[in-house]
Amino acid sequence: MIDLSINLGKGLILDNPILTASGTFGYGDEIAEVVDVNCFGGIVTKSLSLEPRIGNPPPRIVETAAGMINSIGLANIGLDAFLKEKVPYLRELKSRVFVNIAARSEEEFCDVIKVLDREKWIAGYEINVSCPNVKEGGIAFGTNPNVLRRLTRKLRESTDRFLIIKLSPNVTDIARMAEIVQECNADAVSMINTLYGAAIDIQTRKPKINTVIGGLSGPAIKPVALAHIIKARKVIDIPIIGIGGISAGADVIEFMLAGATAVQLGTVNFFNPGAIYEILDFIEHYMDQHRLKSLNEIIGQAQV
Amino acid sequence: MKCVATAIIRSNQKVADGIFLASLEAPEIAGQCLPGQFINIYFPETTKIFPRPFSIAGASDSRIKLLYKVIGSQTTLMSGWSAGQKIKILGPLGNIFDIQEQHYRDFILLGGGVGAAPLMFLRDELVKKGIKPYFFIGAKTKAELPVVEDSASHLILTTDDGSVGLKGNVVEHFLRMAENYKTPTQVSVCGPDMMMKVLKDISLPQNMDVFVSLEKTMACGLGLCQGCVVETTSGKYNGHYALVCKDGPVFNIKDVKFND
């Protein structure tokens, strides 16, 4: 039996390094008929806000070369419905569950955390400071170093839970943002959220996304994500959870070599819902082939 | 239960200009399919990443029928499918055309071009219940009509150029015959957006309920991406956005808006 487990620190060990990326896996229950959700080391839920959000008007998605642009606008059921409708399913999972939280203000983040802290089964929080598609909150928290510092401090004061800050690539210096997160004692960063992207219909001259500019994801952004992880790894010691265009087992190894302790599968859940099985098989085979006892042996080991 | 499965192409024939009818062997999925539902087809190429949704045009215990029109690179690839070839599909997805035979006294199927696909499956189910529906299919010309004869329904063909059947628009002819329909009447529609818009805007005869099968760009087909939303009226969905993949693709026309 090959040991795929990874240690995120703070006593948090995942059975394998594969998590789901927020907003690409719902709350797990939607896809449970198609995929064994417990095959993932962790589930990161769709962004949750204090009140429900209906999200942005259509069109919300468009396919682009080896990727897609989305502008969903954090449509979600809100905290109350989450507790009533989703918790009974999520709390029984073998996979560790991380709740992704989005908010319009520091206070809203803290209000959500205060309620979720009562749910003992939750492994941690991922804080969305990088959504490019909402007017208030979202990326505004993640692009200004001072705002990010203040928020991360406040969140750290408000909870002892495992705290992940999800970083935006739409900044000049992502390594600086990662550093700030570490200085404020968050437990990990996840990176990257989507890149700004746009597409235009040449016949109608209309943007293909309602908000004109949305978030680009998918295999197209993998090299960008890797570059950002390499930069961040040089300046921080806390775990990096790698995200960005991962669609196969080889991509996971590449992200781990670049410095990621774990990874998230995002857009691939749409075009290959069973990718997790192929990825776990690949990693086992790779470990066997390279005589690895633990995946720790490859984290950050690229010769960069 | 919906699942990902390997389907084997059993046949794939051109039935009209640019329109093909394929039969897929997929016993894990076929037996569960109901009219109105769709499947996602996954393609091996990596530049266009989304799976493509297709209405189910018929199903038996082991096979699924698809009626599709060649539009882009994926459907061009499909037109080259040969018997024995294997593809990956996900299904069955979405809701259904709910046949309420206790309530309605006449059933009308209204298809625009390849939009006839889900209605062919619905016709099969109606026939099983001993119902002979009116089946309107419209196209620009005779060559583009996916179905030209059907003894199981009262088939009414229309073409813009009059090359076969009644000359003119399929919606106009459907309305012109309204006094023949027993009420209450259930109308099931699938066709271009413009056809749905026309039906939404006109005042329909009394005691007629219209159900439309919608199409939107979808990334997943499962409700994960929340991309395929349609705006709704104050009815069933409370004015919120509904997901075409999960809440639909079939909606009561009263519940949806067509303004994007």
Side-chain angles (χ1 to χ4, degrees), chain A residues 23-26 30-34 46 54-69 72 75-76 217-219 267 269-274 278, chain B residues 1-4 32 40 42 46-52 74 88 90 93 216-231 239-241 243 246 260:
Chain A
T24 65
F25 207 73
E30 293 94 334
I31 196 175
E33 278 180 49
V34 179
K46 173 143 192 64
I54 62 167
N56 290 336
R60 288 180 171 186
I61 55 168
V62 60
E63 189 178 46
T64 57
M68 65 181 286
I69 302 170
I72 308 301
N76 82 91
S217 67
T267 305
N269 292 317
F270 303 153
F271 64 86
N272 184 8
E278 298 160 25
Chain B
M1 217 165 80
K2 54 176 112 57
C3 65
V4 175
Q32 312 174 51
N40 263 357
Y42 298 97
T46 52
T47 309
K48 291 185 177 180
I49 59 171
F50 290 172
R52 297 296 193 256
Q74 315 286 43
K88 199 165 101 175
L90 166 69
L93 303 171
K216 285 271 177 188
T217 302
M218 290 177 189
C220 67
L222 292 163
L224 301 174
C225 74
Q226 311 256 310
C228 60
V229 287
V230 61
E231 293 182 66
H240 290 183
Y241 296 115
L243 296 176
K246 213 176 148 187
D260 60 288

Side-chain angles (χ1 to χ4, degrees), chain B residues 44-71:
Chain B
E45 77 148 297
T46 52
T47 309
K48 291 185 177 180
I49 59 171
F50 290 172
R52 297 296 193 256
F54 290 89
S55 282
I56 298 163
S60 65
D61 282 346
S62 62
R63 290 194 186 192
I64 295 169
K65 259 195 268 179
L66 296 182
L67 181 79
Y68 63 93
K69 187 173 181 177
V70 177
I71 306 268

